[in-house]
């Protein structure tokens, strides 16, 4: 499917939003727009910096010509998305009447809304090296 071509006689009446959306879907990595000032179609092909050609600005009088120039510049159209197969509906199993209770974790000792205070850092360091025996 190609974009509509321009009529040969009379003023051009484009649905620019529909054509721009069509070209954006067909070429997602290309920016396409219609210029009201000079009544032309433009597209910019942004390529990686390592690409030998670099970025390109394309200009055309009609959307069909712009599409031909995009393909000549090496931009390949994206295949139309395939609609996924609709899976068959399965009946929803009935829920059990009484849900199983969720086990709660054992409560920790709390002081108000906070946990039990830890000993200061120096006591933890000294306690790692020194063992006190209270047995005489």
């Amino acid at each position: 499917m190609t974009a509509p071509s321009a009529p040969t006689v009379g003023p051009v009446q484009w649905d620019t939003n529909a054509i721009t959306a069509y070209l954006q879907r067909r070429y997602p990595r290309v920016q396409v727009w219609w210029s009201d000032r000079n009544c032309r179609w433009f597209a910019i092909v942004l390529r990686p910096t390592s690409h030998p050609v670099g970025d390109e600005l394309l200009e055309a009088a009609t959307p069909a010509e712009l599409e031909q120039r995009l393909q000549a510049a090496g931009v390949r159209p994206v295949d139309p998305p395939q609609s996924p197969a609709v899976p068959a509906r399965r009946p929803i199993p009935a829920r059990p009447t009484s849900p199983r209770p969720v086990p709660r974790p054992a409560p920790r000792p709390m002081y108000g809304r906070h946990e039990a205070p830890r000993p200061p850092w120096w006591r933890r360091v000294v306690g790692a090296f020194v063992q006190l025996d209270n047995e005489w």
Side-chain angles (χ1 to χ4, degrees), residues 64-79:
E65 181 185 346
L66 182 63
E67 194 168 12
Q68 289 172 352
R69 289 183 186 230
L70 284 169
Q71 291 179 359
V75 180
R76 299 291 166 233
V78 174
D79 294 330

Side-chain angles (χ1 to χ4, degrees), residues 3-91:
S5 59
T8 56
V9 180
V12 177
Q13 298 293 325
W14 299 104
D15 183 5
T16 57
N17 293 334
I19 294 172
T20 303
Y22 165 77
L23 290 172
Q24 287 287 345
R25 278 192 315 270
R26 189 155 163 100
Y27 303 96
R29 293 195 175 130
V30 175
Q31 293 296 317
V32 178
W33 68 94
W34 165 256
S35 173
D36 288 329
R37 174 164 279 185
N38 46 2
C39 298
R40 304 282 287 182
W41 288 94
F42 289 94
I44 188 162
V45 181
L46 300 174
R47 295 196 172 103
T49 55
S50 62
H51 197 275
V53 176
D55 300 341
E56 280 187 78
L57 178 67
L58 304 174
E59 178 183 359
T62 65
E65 181 185 346
L66 182 63
E67 194 168 12
Q68 289 172 352
R69 289 183 186 230
L70 284 169
Q71 291 179 359
V75 180
R76 299 291 166 233
V78 174
D79 294 330
Q82 301 293 328
S83 60
V86 178
R89 290 192 161 216
R90 296 184 195 142

Side-chain angles (χ1 to χ4, degrees), residues 100-117:
R100 293 183 358 200
V102 178
R104 292 187 176 194
R108 297 186 307 176
M110 301 290 271
Y111 293 93
R113 291 179 38 194
H114 306 286
E115 295 182 7

